[in-house]
Amino acid sequence: MTDPELRQIEADDKSLLIVDDDKAFQTRLARAMEKRGFLTDTAEGVREAVAKIAASAPAFAVVDMRLGDGSGLDVIEALRQHRPDARAVILTGYGNIATAVTAVKLGAIDYLSKPADADDVFVALTREGDEKAIPPENPMSADRVRWEHIQRVYEMCERNVSETARRLNMHRRTLQRILAKRAPR
């Protein structure tokens, strides 16, 4: 097979692996991406995703940064080892520069903040290499980013208010008031 023929087969490969431990989000995104022409498969954790990649590495991947059994960066690394031409996007509930840089170094093509919709994911996956990402119209407010971080730590502490307050270095009652409120916009 010649090199142009090989590129055409790779271009026609619309296999997509979605790795996220939020089952509802994972299902919605899979349905939306199928409507856009992708052949989707899903995984809920690092081990399951790495096994699926070893069996048949997809051309595209959407990977949550924090998974129940590890980091999405491990999935990106496994994908890069099995299929260097794969296009992967990292999703995260809250972002920081260090993990974004690491994700890109490991081979991710973009880094999106949750809640990202299917249109954002589709654009990121199909963007040409020299195209620049469009800045978000409605970026998360600082209050929302803080709230998301508190929620993430709260979940990591298995919903233990005292442990969460200790890790966040805040008073327990202050944390309880924050958790009782609705999420800021």
Side-chain angles (χ1 to χ4, degrees), residues 14 16 28-40 60 117-126:
K14 296 290 185 182
L16 169 68
R28 281 193 315 272
L29 184 59
R31 276 195 219 125
M33 298 311 281
E34 284 172 356
K35 287 179 183 175
R36 288 167 175 79
F38 287 95
L39 303 169
T40 62
F60 300 91
D117 65 12
D119 291 331
D120 295 336
V121 173
F122 180 77
V123 167
L125 287 173
T126 58

Side-chain angles (χ1 to χ4, degrees), residues 15-19 33 38 53 57-65 72-81 83-91 100 102-112 120-127:
S15 58
L16 169 68
L17 178 63
I18 299 172
V19 186
M33 298 311 281
F38 287 95
I53 289 169
F60 300 91
V62 178
V63 183
D64 189 11
M65 185 67 168
L73 296 176
D74 297 331
V75 176
I76 298 296
E77 192 170 16
L79 181 61
R80 188 60 53 211
Q81 289 173 356
R83 187 161 183 177
D85 66 322
R87 298 178 59 84
V89 173
I90 288 278
L91 297 178
T102 304
V104 170
K105 283 183 178 179
L106 289 173
I109 58 167
D110 210 338
Y111 189 88
L112 301 174
D120 295 336
V121 173
F122 180 77
V123 167
L125 287 173
T126 58
R127 183 181 308 121

Side-chain angles (χ1 to χ4, degrees), residues 38 44 71 82 104 113 121-122 134:
F38 287 95
E44 291 185 31
S71 171
H82 286 85
V104 170
S113 294
V121 173
F122 180 77
I134 300 167

Side-chain angles (χ1 to χ4, degrees), residues 100-157:
V101 169
T102 304
V104 170
K105 283 183 178 179
L106 289 173
I109 58 167
D110 210 338
Y111 189 88
L112 301 174
S113 294
K114 280 184 172 180
D117 65 12
D119 291 331
D120 295 336
V121 173
F122 180 77
V123 167
L125 287 173
T126 58
R127 183 181 308 121
E128 292 296 323
D130 57 346
E131 283 184 62
K132 292 188 177 169
I134 300 167
E137 288 181 28
N138 303 347
M140 278 197 280
S141 68
D143 290 336
R144 177 64 186 218
V145 172
R146 177 179 178 254
W147 187 85
E148 294 275 347
H149 176 66
I150 289 169
Q151 290 296 320
R152 177 70 67 178
V153 174
Y154 183 54
E155 291 300 322
M156 284 174 35
C157 293

